[in-house]
Amino acid sequence: MKYRQLDENGDYKFGNNELDFITDVEAVAQAIRTKVMLFYQEWWEDISIGIPMFQSIVGRVADTNLKMTSTLLLTRRIREIEQVTSVTNVEVIQGPRSLSFKIEVDTTYGSTSVEVEI
């Protein structure tokens, strides 16, 4: 797997030829981040894909509902990545005004942990 790197603002990196690309487990980690950050109906080319973050996750009051819904939706979305063999753990971290996820996966390249903050 080969992906173009993202900079600290989430924009594609350009200008360094092959150094702007990542491969293997790093590429899978970035694929996970971008899949989690694509919200439902956000991409103009196909509004049927993405995680229904506002429809199903954000605003949930009960802690168990939030964690169960998030885990199911994220696991389903992450398994779409061909190189992911299994999702071993999804930890939901809810702050007073923030929501983040720590996702652990096994890939064809090895295991990795990815943190995504919304």
Side-chain angles (χ1 to χ4, degrees), residues 31-49:
I32 291 169
R33 274 188 213 92
T34 56
K35 279 205 176 271
V36 170
M37 291 302 296
L38 180 63
F39 296 170
Y40 180 67
Q41 295 186 334
E42 184 177 38
W43 190 34
W44 62 273
E45 218 171 86
D46 187 353
I47 62 171
S48 69
I49 63 170

Side-chain angles (χ1 to χ4, degrees), residues 71-89:
T71 300
L72 290 171
L73 290 169
L74 293 175
T75 299
R76 185 180 321 150
R77 185 88 169 117
I78 291 166
R79 284 190 173 170
E80 294 173 1
I81 301 169
E82 189 176 316
Q83 290 77 9
V84 172
T85 55
S86 68
V87 179
T88 56
N89 189 39

Side-chain angles (χ1 to χ4, degrees), residues 1-78:
M1 172 180 255
K2 184 177 184 180
Y3 258 58
R4 182 173 288 278
Q5 282 191 52
L6 299 177
D7 66 13
E8 60 278 350
N9 297 318
D11 297 322
Y12 286 129
K13 286 186 176 182
F14 291 99
N16 294 309
N17 300 320
E18 285 299 311
L19 296 176
D20 287 329
F21 292 91
I22 52 178
T23 59
D24 302 332
V25 76
E26 277 186 272
V28 174
Q30 183 172 305
I32 291 169
R33 274 188 213 92
T34 56
K35 279 205 176 271
V36 170
M37 291 302 296
L38 180 63
F39 296 170
Y40 180 67
Q41 295 186 334
E42 184 177 38
W43 190 34
W44 62 273
E45 218 171 86
D46 187 353
I47 62 171
S48 69
I49 63 170
I51 294 180
M53 199 65 69
F54 296 108
Q55 295 85 353
S56 300
I57 297 176
V58 175
R60 294 284 176 210
V61 178
D63 218 22
T64 53
N65 284 349
L66 171 72
K67 290 180 180 184
M68 187 170 45
T69 303
S70 300
T71 300
L72 290 171
L73 290 169
L74 293 175
T75 299
R76 185 180 321 150
R77 185 88 169 117
I78 291 166

Side-chain angles (χ1 to χ4, degrees), residues 33 36-37 39 93 97-101 115-118:
R33 274 188 213 92
V36 170
M37 291 302 296
F39 296 170
I93 304 151
R97 302 201 74 156
S98 66
L99 184 63
S100 58
F101 307 102
E115 292 187 33
V116 180
E117 187 175 336
I118 301 176

